[in-house]
Amino acid sequence: MHSNNVPKLVIEGNGPLKGSVVASGAKNAVLPILAATILASEPVTLHNVPKLQDVIVLTDLLKDLGAKVEINENTVVIDPTSINKIRASHDLVKLMRASILVLGPLVSKFGEAEVSLPGGCAIGSRPVDQHLKGLEALSANIELKNGYVYASTTDKTRLKGNHFTFDMITVTGAENIIMAAVLSEGQTILENTAQEPEVVDLCEMLVKLGAKIQGIGTARLVIDGVDKLSGGEHTIMPDRIEVGTYLVAGAMTYGDVTVNQCNPIHQEATIEALLETGCGVEVGDDFVRVYPKATKLKAIDIKTQPYPKFATDMQAQFMALATVAEGKSTIIETIFENRFMHANELSRMGANIRIEDHMAIITGIEKLSGAEVSATDLRASAALILAGLVAEGTTIMDQIFHLDRGYDGIEKKLTSLGAKIKRI
């Protein structure tokens, strides 16, 4: 891109989307899995890695620690044997909160780690206290100074297994402690563990490298520490939020859209919400299709909750849908405190949205109008694209760097379905 003019997306309201797209690998699965390669004693090959800005940041961080990284299309090979640094510098961590995921693997493998505290994120404070409490339970000494977390084991020995219960459901917190526990001495039992598919994917990858984890996919994990992990191969799961986003795009435009190479089980809450709006949904072994059944979408009531309930990462997309559905929809956000920032931008397009604390009340209107809008975070950027697809006229969105953090080739995929969308 030219440095002096920031890229924008131009979206023209157009007819129904039609056709099929293939799901990319999951952003929220690949990041912890990349961090987990630190634990290996031989190279690790990852397949179905999505081309995302966040992936570039995390591979750069691994390189900075001394790892060798080869990227070839959607395959990434990481050789962690040359890692010779235990400090994740602020310059890299500030680019992405998920960088905190190197903390658990570093302290577990090397007996010490220094990781810059991630800055605030636009969608709420998202504290890392559960990560630190969990590491302390595994006998790490934790010090916070000058904006860094210093974690170390006593005399550079191994972490010690323990029984730990998370105070709240935390996906990255769980991932960090699981990674720390697999090389710990003895047994670790984790309770109230996040059950998101991305946590499952990480556990399955670790097991392929020789980790001993029981209870995968449940809230109670039993991890027996091993001396070392080997290398290996793993294919990243499909991105369930990306899949959901394309299904909503199909629904909103009254189109017929199939997403292939996905896991329909991960889409249950999204499919339920789509059926509530009056869409037709067809589910196969590895595809989901959405098609029009009613002449007008119906209002919905949703509440974000940890998996397998409705995902906070799908909330913005359904808000966009609700703006043009018949009747009054309510969306209750229970995961992040200020995750309704897209409401202001949707209102610029004519949407009728009222926010009361953690609830958004959306009264559907006939038609949105194109406008100049700004993406405030990753999922908000998707919601604004969806709104632009059904708006009258042209929508111009800036701050689209958010989009590239989590959607692999979104303009290409939407264009292949008949959308009028381009980057300028």
Side-chain angles (χ1 to χ4, degrees):
M1 300 298 164
H2 315 293
S3 50
N4 55 353
N5 39 16
V6 180
K8 294 180 181 182
L9 274 190
V10 179
I11 306 125
E12 301 282 350
N14 197 14
L17 297 183
K18 284 196 168 64
S20 64
V21 289
V22 172
S24 297
K27 169 181 103 80
N28 290 338
V30 72
L31 302 176
I33 285 170
L34 283 167
T37 61
I38 292 170
L39 296 163
S41 56
E42 296 160 41
V44 178
T45 302
L46 301 175
H47 303 287
N48 200 30
V49 174
K51 296 186 168 93
L52 303 174
Q53 195 51 41
D54 277 10
V55 169
I56 293 167
V57 172
L58 202 46
T59 49
D60 283 349
L61 179 51
L62 291 171
K63 285 186 210 161
D64 190 57
L65 296 172
K68 294 190 178 74
V69 179
E70 275 178 58
I71 300 178
N72 185 2
E73 283 303 310
N74 297 96
T75 298
V76 177
V77 182
I78 290 132
D79 181 353
T81 53
S82 49
I83 289 177
N84 54 10
K85 251 176 82 174
I86 49 97
R87 181 178 174 93
S89 74
H90 181 62
D91 291 346
L92 286 162
V93 176
K94 73 176 180 201
L95 297 173
M96 181 179 70
R97 290 190 50 87
S99 308
I100 190 76
L101 287 164
V102 300
L103 180 62
L106 284 173
V107 68
S108 192
K109 175 96 175 271
F110 300 104
E112 55 177 338
E114 299 172 17
V115 178
S116 171
L117 277 167
C121 175
I123 55 180
S125 55
R126 305 171 86 174
V128 295
D129 61 319
Q130 295 301 302
H131 303 237
L132 307 183
K133 275 187 186 174
L135 288 173
E136 283 179 325
L138 299 180
S139 78
N141 307 309
I142 303 280
E143 262 188 287
L144 296 178
K145 56 174 198 246
N146 308 332
Y148 278 76
V149 180
Y150 291 81
S152 59
T153 57
T154 318
D155 308 327
K156 303 267 177 25
T157 51
R158 288 163 70 186
L159 292 168
K160 311 273 186 288
N162 200 352
H163 198 143
F164 178 71
T165 303
F166 291 96
D167 299 331
M168 53 185 283
I169 302 279
T170 160
V171 174
T172 49
E175 290 162 346
N176 238 333
I177 307 312
I178 291 164
M179 291 188 281
V182 292
L183 293 183
S184 296
E185 213 171 290
Q187 188 175 76
T188 299
I189 297 175
L190 300 178
E191 311 260 16
N192 197 28
T193 310
Q195 298 171 57
E196 269 64 9
E198 295 77 10
V199 177
V200 172
D201 208 33
L202 169 66
C203 290
E204 288 175 347
M205 175 265 191
L206 289 167
V207 167
K208 286 177 190 165
L209 306 189
K212 294 189 171 143
I213 308 172
Q214 294 165 66
I216 294 175
T218 72
R220 184 176 194 266
L221 296 184
V222 179
I223 301 170
D224 289 293
V226 295
D227 289 341
K228 71 182 193 99
L229 295 183
S230 64
E233 293 199 34
H234 181 74
T235 299
I236 306 298
M237 64 173 267
D239 194 314
R240 62 194 173 100
I241 306 303
E242 184 206 28
V243 173
T245 302
Y246 290 117
L247 292 174
V248 174
M252 282 178 73
T253 61
Y254 297 90
D256 191 331
V257 171
T258 302
V259 185
N260 291 315
Q261 291 173 37
C262 69
N263 185 340
I265 293 164
H266 296 161
Q267 299 301 323
E268 280 174 1
T270 292
I271 289 169
E272 211 175 301
L274 286 170
L275 290 171
E276 204 184 313
T277 69
C279 295
V281 179
E282 182 193 344
V283 178
D285 287 341
D286 66 345
F287 73 85
V288 181
R289 169 183 168 227
V290 65
Y291 59 93
K293 250 184 140 170
T295 49
K296 191 78 178 129
L297 294 170
K298 292 196 287 291
I300 40 165
D301 298 306
I302 49 185
K303 179 181 184 179
T304 66
Q305 281 168 295
Y307 190 83
K309 299 284 206 312
F310 190 91
T312 178
D313 277 353
M314 282 302 301
Q315 179 261 101
Q317 296 88 315
F318 272 93
M319 186 182 288
L321 181 150
T323 63
V324 291
E326 206 163 39
K328 189 171 282 188
S329 300
T330 59
I331 298 178
I332 298 171
E333 174 60 69
T334 69
I335 312 286
F336 292 124
E337 62 265 36
N338 38 347
R339 204 172 198 179
F340 283 144
M341 292 181 301
H342 40 277
N344 289 337
E345 299 300 306
L346 288 168
S347 298
R348 293 168 60 81
M349 300 176 73
N352 180 347
I353 305 171
R354 195 168 87 246
I355 307 287
E356 292 177 6
D357 292 331
H358 293 282
M359 181 159 76
I361 300 148
I362 305 109
T363 307
I365 60 169
E366 256 322 285
K367 198 96 171 128
L368 295 168
S369 341
E372 290 194 25
V373 292
S374 290
T376 49
D377 62 64
L378 169 56
R379 304 305 168 189
S381 59
L384 295 171
I385 289 177
L386 297 180
L389 293 175
V390 299
E392 215 154 14
T394 308
T395 299
I396 300 175
M397 181 170 83
D398 63 15
Q399 301 290 324
I400 63 172
F401 63 89
H402 288 295
L403 196 64
D404 300 327
R405 283 189 41 227
Y407 286 97
D408 182 349
I410 192 166
E411 303 102 282
K412 275 199 201 80
K413 290 187 186 182
L414 285 172
T415 302
S416 77
L417 296 173
K420 292 188 170 173
I421 174 169
K422 62 174 194 282
R423 194 174 283 235
I424 54 164

